[in-house]
Amino acid sequence: MCVLLASVLWGTTGTAATFAPDVGPLAVGAVAMGLGGLLQALIAAPRIRREGPLLRRRPGVLAVGAVAVAAYPPAFYSSMHLAGVTTGTVVSIGSAPLASALIERLADGRRLTRRWITGAALGLSGTLLLCAAGADAGGPGTRSAGSTVLGVALGLAAGLTYALYSWAAHRLIGGGVSSGAAMGTVFGTGGLLLAPVLLLTGAPLLESWTNAAVGAYMALVPMFLGYVLFGWGLAHVPASTATTLSLLEPAVAAVLAVLVVGEHLSPAGWAGVALIVGCLAVLTARRRGTAGPPEAAARRSPPGAGAEASGAHRAPAGEHPSHAPEVA
């Protein structure tokens, strides 16, 4: 539920950005992830100090996560700018579950369950329908082929970086770091890396109260609050499941574009929304006789099943588990 709520908040970013059309995609991304990440680090500073020894044991994981956080917003918001809001969001978020599953398979040896494969198939089918609906709504000649191709390529890069920082945060949490300290460190360091981008591109944010309000909303609500919720979710589900659940984001973005911005969504687009809802139902519904979350069955698998054990027996977010197993 935390991941789903975070996805709803993230789905508002495209609509919010339309209220500041003079602010470029780099500035929007830098203020959202940069300030949001620094605020996470500030709030989590006491935990980061206490858990410093645990964090320093994994410098490589921290570096991967921080660089991915810094690379994600320029790629994501530039993708929406070049290929369109619907296409950019769908490609970026829709490619993340596949990238996340590949990372977990290669880095952690984690097996993919049939439930995840079924849910991912439904979700990706829905995102493709949303993408096609967005392309049809844009009309022929709205964007050049080169712009669209570059936007799609940047969307794929955004999906990869999203999967990377989700994996890094989950790896830290699986190693005994609290979700607050893990997310604060990864996103705070990424926010520092984004500071030069904000200084170079952020002047339009100060040109009007509307622009400043949009920047503040992006930093505080979808990025700060959204990623706090996402961190709590990562304490209990693998990164591949979390990124698949976040397929709700493009569905929310499409619905808000219809209700608030006044865009039109074709029947194919609504069918895509329905498929994404089906994906979420498959991934979140409890199996008969299962008392825990959807990953509980994977956690009961025999030794050697890989990183499915990484989220097992997790303590509540923010607390140290007494017997948190290492990721394979």
Side-chain angles (χ1 to χ4, degrees):
M1 294 307 298
C2 286
V3 174
L4 291 178
L5 183 55
S7 301
V8 171
L9 296 179
W10 296 336
T12 67
T13 57
T15 298
T18 63
F19 291 97
D22 298 331
V23 181
L26 294 180
V28 170
V31 71
M33 294 287 274
L35 292 186
L38 292 173
L39 184 57
Q40 284 195 62
L42 180 63
I43 297 298
R47 289 182 179 179
I48 293 173
R49 284 195 298 268
R50 287 197 304 266
E51 301 173 35
L54 282 174
L55 291 166
R56 286 191 290 272
R57 292 178 189 174
R58 294 166 176 82
V61 174
L62 282 174
V64 168
V67 171
V69 165
Y72 173 76
F76 177 55
Y77 289 99
S78 296
S79 174
M80 289 195 296
H81 179 73
L82 292 169
V85 173
T86 301
T87 301
T89 303
V90 165
V91 172
S92 300
I93 306 304
S95 62
L98 298 180
S100 184
L102 181 61
I103 291 169
E104 288 184 349
R105 181 65 178 169
L106 294 177
D108 302 335
R110 183 176 185 273
R111 297 182 302 183
L112 302 180
T113 64
R114 275 183 282 185
R115 171 183 284 222
W116 183 89
I117 293 172
T118 301
L122 287 172
L124 291 174
S125 298
T127 55
L128 287 175
L129 282 175
L130 271 177
C131 187
D136 292 341
T142 302
R143 290 181 174 84
S144 67
S147 174
T148 301
V149 169
L150 179 58
V152 169
L154 287 170
L156 293 174
L160 176 60
T161 54
Y162 174 31
L164 279 171
Y165 68 68
S166 300
W167 169 82
H170 181 73
R171 189 72 179 263
L172 291 171
I173 294 169
V177 180
S178 68
S179 65
M183 299 296 284
T185 304
V186 169
F187 279 79
T189 308
L192 288 175
L193 296 176
L194 283 168
V197 179
L198 182 58
L199 290 175
L200 291 174
T201 64
L205 289 164
L206 303 177
E207 291 179 353
S208 72
W209 285 107
T210 300
N211 291 354
V214 168
Y217 171 80
M218 300 278 269
L220 295 175
V221 180
M223 295 306 151
F224 171 67
L225 180 57
Y227 278 104
V228 168
L229 291 168
F230 190 66
W232 290 345
L234 282 175
H236 299 278
V237 298
S240 57
T241 298
T243 53
T244 305
L245 289 172
S246 65
L247 290 174
L248 179 62
E249 177 182 347
V252 171
V255 172
L256 286 177
V258 171
L259 297 178
V260 179
V261 183
E263 294 184 1
H264 172 72
L265 192 62
S266 68
W270 289 112
V273 172
L275 284 174
I276 290 173
V277 172
C279 156
L280 304 178
V282 168
L283 290 177
T284 58
R286 290 183 178 179
R287 293 178 178 175
R288 185 168 51 188
T290 298
E295 295 300 321
R299 294 171 188 166
R300 294 194 185 96
S301 56
E308 266 127 339
S310 64
H313 310 299
R314 298 297 306 155
E319 297 180 8
H320 290 290
S322 55
H323 300 287
E326 284 290 337
V327 176

